[in-house]
Coordinates of all heavy atoms in Angstrom, one line a residue:
S1 N 80.3 61.3 105.2 CA 80.9 61.8 104.0 C 80.9 63.3 104.0 O 81.9 63.9 103.6 CB 80.1 61.3 102.8 OG 80.0 59.9 102.8
L2 N 79.8 64.0 104.3 CA 79.8 65.4 104.3 C 80.7 66.0 105.3 O 81.2 67.2 105.1 CB 78.4 65.9 104.6 CG 77.3 65.6 103.5 CD1 75.9 66.0 104.0 CD2 77.7 66.2 102.2
S3 N 81.1 65.3 106.4 CA 82.0 65.8 107.4 C 83.4 66.0 106.9 O 84.2 66.8 107.4 CB 82.0 64.9 108.6 OG 82.7 63.7 108.3
Y4 N 83.7 65.4 105.7 CA 85.0 65.5 105.2 C 85.2 66.8 104.3 O 86.3 67.1 103.9 CB 85.4 64.3 104.4 CG 86.2 63.3 105.2 CD1 85.6 62.2 105.9 CD2 87.6 63.5 105.4 CE1 86.4 61.4 106.7 CE2 88.3 62.6 106.2 CZ 87.7 61.6 106.8 OH 88.4 60.7 107.6
L5 N 84.0 67.4 103.9 CA 84.1 68.6 103.1 C 85.0 69.7 103.6 O 85.8 70.3 102.9 CB 82.7 69.1 102.8 CG 81.9 68.3 101.8 CD1 80.5 68.9 101.7 CD2 82.5 68.3 100.5
P6 N 84.9 70.0 104.9 CA 85.8 71.1 105.5 C 87.3 70.7 105.3 O 88.1 71.6 105.0 CB 85.4 71.1 107.0 CG 84.0 70.6 107.0 CD 83.9 69.6 106.0
L7 N 87.6 69.4 105.3 CA 89.0 69.1 105.1 C 89.5 69.3 103.7 O 90.6 69.8 103.4 CB 89.2 67.6 105.5 CG 89.3 67.2 106.9 CD1 89.6 65.7 107.1 CD2 90.2 68.1 107.7
V8 N 88.6 69.1 102.7 CA 88.9 69.3 101.3 C 89.1 70.8 101.1 O 89.9 71.2 100.2 CB 87.7 68.8 100.4 CG1 88.0 69.1 99.0 CG2 87.6 67.3 100.6
F9 N 88.5 71.6 101.9 CA 88.7 73.1 101.7 C 89.9 73.6 102.5 O 90.6 74.5 102.0 CB 87.4 73.8 102.2 CG 86.2 73.6 101.3 CD1 85.1 73.0 101.8 CD2 86.2 74.1 100.0 CE1 84.0 72.8 101.0 CE2 85.2 73.9 99.1 CZ 84.0 73.3 99.6
C10 N 90.1 73.0 103.7 CA 91.2 73.5 104.6 C 92.5 72.9 104.3 O 93.6 73.6 104.4 CB 90.8 73.3 106.0 SG 89.3 74.2 106.5
E11 N 92.6 71.6 104.0 CA 93.8 70.9 103.9 C 94.7 71.5 102.8 O 96.0 71.6 103.0 CB 93.6 69.4 103.7 CG 94.9 68.7 103.8 CD 94.7 67.2 103.9 OE1 94.0 66.7 104.9 OE2 95.3 66.4 103.1
P12 N 94.2 71.9 101.6 CA 95.1 72.5 100.6 C 95.9 73.7 101.1 O 97.0 73.9 100.8 CB 94.2 72.8 99.5 CG 93.1 71.9 99.6 CD 92.9 71.7 101.1
I13 N 95.2 74.5 102.0 CA 95.9 75.7 102.6 C 97.0 75.2 103.4 O 98.2 75.7 103.3 CB 94.9 76.5 103.4 CG1 93.8 77.0 102.5 CG2 95.6 77.7 104.0 CD1 92.7 77.7 103.2
F14 N 96.8 74.2 104.3 CA 97.8 73.7 105.1 C 99.0 73.1 104.3 O 100.2 73.4 104.6 CB 97.2 72.6 106.0 CG 98.2 71.9 106.9 CD1 98.7 72.5 108.0 CD2 98.7 70.6 106.5 CE1 99.7 71.8 108.8 CE2 99.6 69.9 107.3 CZ 100.1 70.5 108.4
T15 N 98.6 72.4 103.3 CA 99.6 71.7 102.4 C 100.5 72.8 101.7 O 101.7 72.7 101.7 CB 99.0 70.9 101.4 OG1 98.2 69.8 102.0 CG2 100.0 70.2 100.4
R16 N 99.8 73.8 101.2 CA 100.6 74.9 100.5 C 101.6 75.6 101.5 O 102.7 75.8 101.1 CB 99.6 75.9 100.0 CG 100.2 77.0 99.1 CD 100.6 76.4 97.7 NE 101.1 77.5 96.9 CZ 101.5 77.3 95.6 NH1 101.4 76.1 95.1 NH2 101.9 78.3 94.9
V17 N 101.1 75.8 102.7 CA 102.0 76.5 103.7 C 103.2 75.6 104.0 O 104.4 76.0 104.1 CB 101.2 76.8 105.0 CG1 102.2 77.3 106.1 CG2 100.2 77.9 104.7
V18 N 103.0 74.3 104.2 CA 104.0 73.3 104.5 C 105.0 73.3 103.3 O 106.3 73.3 103.6 CB 103.4 71.9 104.8 CG1 104.6 70.9 104.8 CG2 102.7 71.9 106.1
L19 N 104.5 73.2 102.1 CA 105.4 73.1 101.0 C 106.3 74.4 100.8 O 107.5 74.3 100.4 CB 104.6 72.8 99.7 CG 103.9 71.5 99.6 CD1 103.2 71.3 98.3 CD2 104.9 70.3 99.8
K20 N 105.6 75.5 101.0 CA 106.4 76.8 100.9 C 107.5 76.9 101.9 O 108.6 77.3 101.6 CB 105.4 78.0 101.1 CG 104.6 78.3 99.9 CD 105.4 79.0 98.8 CE 104.5 79.5 97.6 NZ 105.3 80.1 96.6
L21 N 107.2 76.4 103.2 CA 108.2 76.5 104.2 C 109.3 75.5 103.9 O 110.5 75.9 104.1 CB 107.5 76.1 105.5 CG 108.4 76.0 106.8 CD1 109.1 77.3 107.1 CD2 107.6 75.5 108.0
L22 N 109.0 74.3 103.5 CA 110.0 73.3 103.2 C 110.9 73.8 102.0 O 112.1 73.5 101.9 CB 109.4 72.0 102.9 CG 108.8 71.2 104.1 CD1 108.1 70.0 103.6 CD2 109.9 70.8 105.0
S23 N 110.3 74.4 101.0 CA 111.0 74.9 99.9 C 112.0 76.0 100.3 O 113.2 76.0 99.8 CB 110.0 75.6 98.9 OG 110.7 76.1 97.7
R24 N 111.7 76.8 101.2 CA 112.6 77.8 101.7 C 113.7 77.2 102.5 O 114.9 77.5 102.4 CB 111.9 78.9 102.5 CG 111.0 79.8 101.7 CD 110.2 80.7 102.6 NE 109.3 81.6 101.8 CZ 108.4 82.5 102.3 NH1 108.4 82.7 103.6 NH2 107.6 83.2 101.5

């Protein structure tokens, strides 16, 4: 369970970058 904590912190950054790129 604790191993997923880094994903909760890192994945929003990845998601935000993807959405910004697709929006452009």
Side-chain angles (χ1 to χ4, degrees):
S1 301
L2 293 176
S3 71
Y4 266 96
L5 285 177
L7 286 184
V8 176
F9 291 117
C10 295
E11 189 168 303
I13 299 174
F14 174 78
T15 299
R16 187 74 176 180
V17 170
V18 169
L19 295 181
K20 282 287 188 181
L21 178 60
L22 288 174
S23 180
R24 291 177 182 177

